[in-house]
């Protein structure tokens, strides 16, 4: 078992201990099998190790003994893993209990190995720090002193550029705070370019200062410092892009100002200490003291950095936990919120194990082990950064939607709603795919999953191609649907182009519905074909199922057939007032199967066409108002006809004139009723205008009849007050208008009779109706 394999197993065990589950490892019978799968690749790396390093190890007695002991332990571990317990039956070993037992044994063995490696690492680090005694401080100081002038110049120029660029970054931050994520990214890129120019300017001035100070090319130590400065400040520039401690308007991460400054302070200090130690100070110590002294300096700085990191992790354990669990505690129980909640509980364990692993890998294998962990860490950070940036942009688009220009919104009012009904779903799918890709890259970086190798296979390429093809088909289908729906919506918009007729509105709505159903079926078939499903049997099965459904749902078939003939005969359209199935109302929606009516009182009716035996359309082409006027038998019919014509002429010259299509049709006496003579006429109007015109016509007729003393009769009744047993009737107390109510006896009180006419009309003589006591018992016709 190589060292890199141990490192990977150590990381896997750490993650398993923190999260209690890891899918990639749980699928294997035991952890040793995971190491076995990756051992050949790591063996090839071990074969390429430096021969000089091996010679140094073999020449050192202590290192040689440590190597032999490690090899024995590895051989013992392999033997123990391959051996089955003697008391375990063979049939159990082959089953699930045997796999669980092997898995648990592997975990325990790995835990013991991790503990032993930690103990060995601690002892080895103490041995390495013994080289501190060989430090030659005078020589080191004399070597660093010529670099001090360059250091002062470089950091002074860097501070000056920071002071000069502060107003510019402030303006950029204010502009970014009022912009969306895409504009903010552009502003952030400009700010990063400004910072990079400042760093390059300080680095260039440092070279100029070193050249002037030396009277020629910079010395080796000065070049070491300048190169270390450029690399370290570049790393801090990347850190500053995400944290932005001084410009909150450019900050993309959800840090507060205090937390951003806190984390940037400590992380940048750790980067500076480790970077300048390894890239500048340690090489100077090695060239002016010894290799052991330089190694001791590296170990001391690395150990102090490790301790600082552990303290920072423990100090912020609660804060990070609460920050990750905030969405879950506020009621968001989505998958991401639950994952963040779980991560908040174990993040500090993972961080501690990771920090210790990095330190141990560097200490034990400064070349291969550290190179593997650093490369995997950088790939993980890059994948998480890019994935987080993409998901953040997608989340912003999902939350804010895609705006549509005002001109397009006026022509197509539903365009923005349609786009923002589909795009968020598409972006959600893309966001899930981004998360899957990021996880795959991370797992492959730590060699726990060979994602790129799977993609290179025929199966992987077929799957990726099918997935891409299915997405492309869905996107094209949505574009086609959007174009057709927008065209129909534009044709139905009365504010632009030709105003559609009721027939056009009905046919366009039916076309849109039918086209949508057909398009959905076609897209579903194409998507299934792209993902590798043979749609031939599906089509055959759909035909059989359709035949069975046709026999079983005869009512539905009758609805569709009847609706088709009604549409072909143009019996009704949207907006018509019809009577269908015993229900009258306005047609709100027509489909191939049913009609939706809205009655006068606002009730919504959905009537299937199978229950429709006749359609009464009251707004087809034109409408008619039938005017029936009942007058008393004493009135002259010609006078009544004149009143009706005069009322029509007055109506035609008023606001309803444009709604009248022809002259007044006088039919004459329609009926000789019990108490009235009915005279009928008819007015031809625009479709649906007959009711309004009829009400206006009746108002004019009533006024003219009152003015010309033409009586419009109404039913009368005779009041009978009963009689006593001796045949006499009780007296009735009535009073005329203006009579003294005090004449009424208190024994027989009556209501307020001061104005009897207020309860009805008056006759030609001005007497109230019903009549007073002189007319009691009379029948008036």
């Amino acid at each position: 078992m190589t060292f890199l394999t141990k490192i990977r197993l150590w990381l896997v065990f750490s993650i398993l201990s923190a999260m209690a589950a890891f899918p990639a490892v749980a699928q294997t019978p035991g952890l040793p099998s995971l190491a076995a799968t990756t051992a050949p690749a790591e063996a090839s790396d071990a074969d390429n190790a430096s021969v000089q390093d091996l010679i140094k190890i073999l020449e050192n007695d202590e290192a040689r003994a440590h190597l032999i002991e490690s090899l024995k332990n590895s051989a013992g571990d392999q033997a123990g893993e391959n051996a089955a317990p003697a008391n375990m039956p063979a049939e159990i070993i082959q089953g699930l209990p045997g796999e669980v037992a092997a898995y648990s044994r592997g975990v325990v063995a790995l835990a013991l190995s991790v503990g032993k490696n930690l103990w060995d690492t601690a002892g080895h680090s103490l041995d390495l720090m013994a080289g501190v005694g060989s430090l030659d401080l005078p020589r080191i100081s004399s070597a660093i002193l010529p670099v001090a002038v360059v250091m002062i110049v470089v950091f002074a120029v860097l501070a000056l550029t920071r002071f000069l660029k502060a107003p510019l970054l402030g303006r950029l931050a204010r502009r970014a705070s009022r912009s969306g994520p895409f504009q903010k990214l552009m502003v952030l890129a400009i700010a990063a370019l400004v910072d990079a120019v400042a760093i390059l300017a300080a680095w260039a001035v440092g070279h100029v200062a070193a050249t002037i100070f030396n009277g020629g090319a910079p010395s080796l130590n000065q070049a070491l410092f300048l190169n270390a400065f450029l690399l370290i400040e570049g790393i801090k520039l990347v850190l500053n892009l995400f944290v932005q401690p001084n410009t909150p308007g450019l900050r993309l991460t959800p840090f507060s100002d205090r937390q951003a400054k806190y984390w940037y302070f400590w992380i940048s200090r750790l980067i500076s200490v480790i970077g300048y130690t390894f890239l500048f100070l340690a090489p100077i110590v090695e060239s002016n003291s010894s290799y052991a002294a330089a190694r001791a300096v590296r170990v001391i700085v690395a150990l102090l950095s490790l301790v600082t990191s552990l303290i920072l992790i423990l100090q912020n354990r609660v804060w990070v936990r609460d920050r990750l669990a905030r969405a879950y505690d506020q009621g968001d129980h989505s998958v991401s919120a639950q994952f963040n909640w779980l991560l908040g509980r174990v993040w500090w364990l993972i961080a501690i194990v990771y920090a210790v692993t990095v330190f141990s890998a560097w200490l034990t294998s400064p070349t291969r082990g550290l190179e593997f962990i650093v490369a995997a860490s950088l790939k993980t950070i890059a994948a998480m950064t890019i994935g987080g940036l993409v998901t953040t942009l997608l989340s912003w688009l999902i939350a804010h939607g895609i705006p549509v220009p005002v001109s397009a919104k006026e022509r197509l009012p539903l365009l923005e709603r349609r786009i923002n009904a589909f795009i968020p779903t598409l972006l959600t799918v893309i966001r899930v795919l981004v998360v899957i890709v990021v996880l795959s890259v991370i797992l492959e970086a730590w060699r726990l999953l060979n994602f790129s190798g799977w993609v290179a296979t025929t199966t992987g390429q077929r799957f990726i191609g099918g997935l891409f093809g299915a997405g492309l088909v869905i996107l094209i289908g949505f574009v086609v649907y959007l174009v057709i729906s927008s065209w129909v919506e534009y044709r139905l918009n009365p504010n632009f182009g030709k105003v559609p007729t009721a027939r056009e509105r009905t046919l366009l709505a039916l076309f849109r519905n039918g086209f949508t159903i057909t398009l959905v079926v076609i897209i579903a078939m194409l998507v299934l074909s792209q993902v590798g499903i043979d749609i031939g049997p599906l089509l055959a099965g759909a035909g059989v199922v359709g035949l069975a459904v046709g026999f079983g749902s005869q009512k539905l078939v009758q609805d569709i057939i009847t609706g088709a003939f009604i549409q072909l005969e143009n019996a009704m359209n949207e907006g018509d007032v019809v009577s269908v199935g015993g229900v009258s109302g306005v047609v709100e929606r027509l489909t191939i199967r049913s009609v939706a009516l809205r009655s006068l009182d606002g009730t919504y009716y959905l009537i299937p066409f199978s229950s429709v035996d006749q359609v009464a359309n009251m707004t087809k082409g034109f409408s008619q108002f039938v005017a029936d006027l009942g007058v008393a038998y004493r009135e002259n019919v010609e006078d009544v006809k004149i009143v009706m014509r005069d009322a029509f002429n007055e109506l035609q010259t008023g606001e309803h004139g444009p709604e009248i299509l022809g002259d007044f049709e006088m039919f004459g006496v329609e009926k000789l009723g019990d108490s009235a003579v009915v005279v009928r006429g008819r007015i031809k109007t625009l479709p649906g205008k007959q009711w309004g015109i009829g009400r206006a016509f009746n108002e004019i007729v009533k006024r003219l009849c009152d003015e010309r003393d033409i009586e419009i009769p109404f039913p009368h009744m005779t009041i009978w007050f009963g009689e006593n047993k001796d045949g006499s009737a009780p007296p009735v107390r009535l009073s005329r208008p203006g009579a003294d109510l005090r004449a009424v006896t208190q024994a027989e009180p009556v209501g307020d009779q001061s104005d009897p006419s207020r309860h009805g009309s008056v006759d030609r003589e001005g007497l109230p109706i019903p009549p007073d006591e002189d007319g009691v018992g009379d029948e008036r016709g």
Side-chain angles (χ1 to χ4, degrees), residues 2-21:
T2 63
F3 178 75
L4 292 179
T5 305
K6 287 186 177 181
I7 292 176
R8 290 198 301 274
L9 292 179
W10 190 359
L11 292 174
V12 172
F13 172 73
S14 304
I15 298 174
L16 286 170
S17 302
M19 303 183 66

Side-chain angles (χ1 to χ4, degrees), residues 527-755:
V527 168
L528 292 177
S529 177
Q530 287 293 325
V531 298
I533 298 177
D534 188 7
I535 62 175
L538 292 178
L539 294 176
V544 176
V545 172
L547 184 61
V549 170
F551 282 111
S553 57
Q554 298 181 12
K555 203 72 172 178
L556 178 62
V557 175
Q558 183 181 356
D559 291 340
I560 296 175
I561 294 176
T562 305
F565 279 103
I566 289 177
Q567 295 302 324
L568 290 175
E569 294 174 0
N570 195 17
M572 55 182 165
N573 294 299
E574 291 184 1
D576 289 350
V577 180
V578 298
S579 178
V580 176
V583 179
S584 298
V586 181
V587 178
E588 283 197 354
R589 186 172 59 89
L590 270 173
T591 65
I592 198 64
R593 192 194 71 85
S594 62
V595 57
L597 299 182
R598 181 78 65 177
S599 65
L600 182 63
D601 59 358
T603 306
Y604 181 82
Y605 294 92
L606 185 63
I607 304 172
F609 285 127
S610 60
S611 62
V612 176
D613 53 0
Q614 64 178 3
V615 177
N617 194 332
M618 289 167 269
T619 56
K620 185 71 172 178
F622 61 90
S623 298
Q624 302 270 21
F625 169 67
V626 178
D628 287 336
L629 177 58
V631 297
Y633 273 87
R634 70 185 182 188
E635 303 296 344
N636 189 342
V637 174
E638 292 301 325
D639 293 339
V640 176
K641 291 181 179 180
I642 293 173
V643 167
M644 296 179 71
R645 288 192 179 94
D646 291 344
F648 173 78
N649 293 332
E650 182 178 344
L651 180 68
Q652 195 173 28
T653 57
E655 61 179 350
H656 294 284
E659 300 172 354
I660 299 174
L661 298 181
D663 295 333
F664 184 77
E665 297 181 73
M666 178 60 69
F667 294 151
V669 177
E670 174 68 21
K671 183 174 63 172
L672 299 175
D674 295 337
S675 60
V677 177
V678 178
V679 182
R680 171 170 292 183
R682 190 170 68 180
I683 303 174
K684 188 176 182 180
T685 69
L686 292 175
K689 303 298 182 181
Q690 67 270 32
W691 296 287
I693 290 177
R695 286 188 290 270
F697 180 79
N698 288 334
E699 291 179 4
I700 298 174
V701 166
K702 173 64 171 60
R703 177 169 51 81
L704 293 179
C705 287
D706 291 341
E707 293 175 355
R708 301 178 185 182
D709 293 332
I710 296 177
E711 181 182 357
I712 301 175
F714 56 89
H716 296 75
M717 67 175 58
T718 300
I719 302 176
W720 182 70
F721 292 94
E723 62 181 12
N724 296 328
K725 290 184 178 181
D726 57 1
S728 62
V732 179
R733 302 292 184 179
L734 297 175
S735 62
R736 293 179 179 273
D740 190 0
L741 294 179
R742 290 175 296 180
V744 182
T745 60
Q746 295 183 357
E748 297 175 355
V750 295
D752 184 9
Q753 300 294 333
S754 60
D755 187 11

Side-chain angles (χ1 to χ4, degrees), residues 189-247:
I190 296 174
L193 181 61
V194 173
D195 290 336
V197 170
I199 294 172
L200 289 175
W203 177 75
V205 172
H207 271 280
V208 173
T211 302
I212 295 174
F213 182 79
N214 295 330
S219 64
L220 178 61
N221 294 338
Q222 292 171 339
L224 286 174
F225 167 75
L226 292 173
N227 293 336
F229 167 81
L230 186 62
L231 179 61
I232 293 169
E233 293 301 325
I235 297 174
K236 291 165 66 174
L237 171 61
V238 176
L239 176 64
N240 184 71
L241 286 177
F242 294 96
V243 180
Q244 290 294 335
N246 300 318
T247 52

Side-chain angles (χ1 to χ4, degrees), residues 361-399:
W362 168 78
L363 196 64
T364 309
S365 179
T367 55
R368 296 295 178 181
L370 184 62
E371 179 183 352
F372 168 75
I373 291 182
V374 171
S377 300
L378 292 177
K379 291 179 182 178
T380 301
I381 294 173
M384 293 178 64
T385 301
I386 297 174
L389 184 60
V390 173
T391 53
T392 300
L393 295 176
L394 294 177
S395 301
W396 185 87
L397 287 176
I398 293 173

